[in-house]
Amino acid sequence: MKKAFLRIALSFSVMLAVIAPVLAVSAQDDPVEIQVWLLTDDADFYENELFPDFNAANPDIKAVYTGHSTDGSKDLLRQVINTDAAPDVFFTYGGPGLFGFYVDTGGVQPLDDVYEEMGWDTRFGGPQLVAATWDGQKYAMPYRQRTMGLYYSKPLFEKAGITAEPTTYDELIEVNAKLLDAGIVPLGMGGMQSWMPMRLLDSLFELKCGAEIHDALTSLEAKYTDEPCALEAFQEFKRWADDWMPDGFMGMDPESDVHLQLYTGQAAMMYEGDWVIGRFEEEGQNPDDFGFFYFPTGNERVSWFGEQLLVSSTSQHKEAAYRFLDWVSSPETQAKYAGRFGGLQPTLDVPVPEGAPELTVFVNDLLQTKEGIYLPADQALPLQVVTEGYWLAQDKVSVGEIEPEEAPAIVQTSIDRYIENNPQ
């Protein structure tokens, strides 16, 4: 009896010895959970495809998606950055007003070592790497690249007798005149939230000031009140607002009203980004009915910006966050979901997907022929200057509250205030 008991006890001890490590490993092998904040623009894709795919391929990590609107994301991140409430990974646009702000607070993890370890320097193109760098150090992983210009309705151009896309500003003005003669508003516009008319004003600054002075203005190295071209840009913007955009456009929604203007034949063009190509089909339109050209500014630079993913400096799971970034931007993931990250492929050597609209191929190819970029003002300028200066002046000129001659001083006053409050 005693021997039997000893055998049972020994067997039980052996079983515990075998099971115990398994139990210990299982207890330690719960997935590391990382919080990822992206936009709500493609929530269904994120929730049902991208995140489940990552989690299945990386069972030791659980990436949790939370979506925010563009403006909601900006507001919330400014509140939680550099605190324990910040997500592990988050989306941002580039430039000093957003990307630079997050870095300057100390809330973003430097990624130079990660770039070297994971080979990201050869994964992305030049403009994307520039946009991911702040004060000589890399802090962001390029997520999407975007380019903006004028999308137009081919049937409406044909109705107005327009047989070729304009290649100079004078030719664009002639296009506007033909459209008006045909009873069509040249440029659809939604002024709510200010960012859509900003795109037009940015291009007018590039047109009137040229690349060198335009860059000096947005980098705060030149004064808007000292450069005559700044006044000329606002004067030309006023001309567009009065003559070539819809009445009451400042009260129109850029996300819905503008598209409807084109679809119903009220307006012929809209200043949009490459992402709009996918929306054409979603909104019941044939992408082949639309064309694209860059706003003619007299040089070979184009409106471009990068969208990026950053890792919070307060994240407790940075290694898991780096693996998420690496997986998302890998050629394999990008090829599998080609076209789902926008009309432009963010990772080098990933082709435009088969079956993509011809317009997508055209915009990708056209971008490669250009020689430089200029950023939209809400990324090139500090956020305070954007809201209290650039947009304020732009909106007041739009509705006739001020004359264009007053606009440069409004922008410069906001810059002077910003510099005073943020001494170097």
Side-chain angles (χ1 to χ4, degrees), residues 76-222:
L76 190 55
L77 281 168
R78 291 178 75 86
Q79 297 174 36
V80 303
I81 194 69
N82 208 26
T83 74
D84 291 339
D88 298 283
V89 175
F90 64 92
F91 169 97
T92 186
Y93 299 100
L98 298 171
F99 174 40
F101 170 81
Y102 303 137
V103 172
D104 288 342
T105 64
V108 179
Q109 183 69 18
L111 298 178
D112 286 313
D113 292 344
V114 182
Y115 266 81
E116 183 175 353
E117 178 182 346
M118 297 190 172
W120 289 355
D121 283 310
T122 57
R123 182 173 287 185
F124 306 106
Q128 293 172 290
L129 294 177
V130 171
T133 304
W134 191 258
D135 286 340
Q137 193 164 24
K138 296 183 183 71
Y139 286 92
M141 186 209 79
Y143 178 57
R144 297 188 291 212
Q145 59 171 328
R146 302 299 203 179
T147 193
M148 298 186 292
L150 293 174
Y151 287 83
Y152 67 91
S153 165
K154 291 179 179 179
L156 293 180
F157 265 40
E158 183 178 351
K159 179 180 177 181
I162 301 165
T163 58
E165 297 168 353
T167 58
T168 67
Y169 188 67
D170 286 342
E171 290 177 356
L172 178 57
I173 300 306
E174 292 175 7
V175 164
N176 289 351
K178 290 181 178 180
L179 289 167
L180 286 179
D181 288 343
I184 304 166
V185 173
L187 183 63
M189 182 59 66
M192 291 173 62
Q193 302 165 342
S194 302
W195 44 260
M196 183 171 269
M198 173 199 70
R199 298 168 181 169
L200 170 63
L201 182 57
D202 292 340
S203 291
L204 292 173
F205 266 97
E206 184 77 3
L207 170 73
K208 295 297 183 180
C209 294
E212 185 175 351
I213 295 179
H214 190 189
D215 286 349
L217 289 169
T218 56
S219 63
L220 312 187
E221 295 173 359

Side-chain angles (χ1 to χ4, degrees), residues 6 37 62 80 91 146 207 232 259 299 323 364 368 409:
L6 288 174
W37 288 7
K62 181 181 180 182
V80 303
F91 169 97
R146 302 299 203 179
L207 170 73
E232 294 171 10
H259 288 220
N299 63 35
R323 282 175 54 190
N364 273 271
Q368 304 311 313

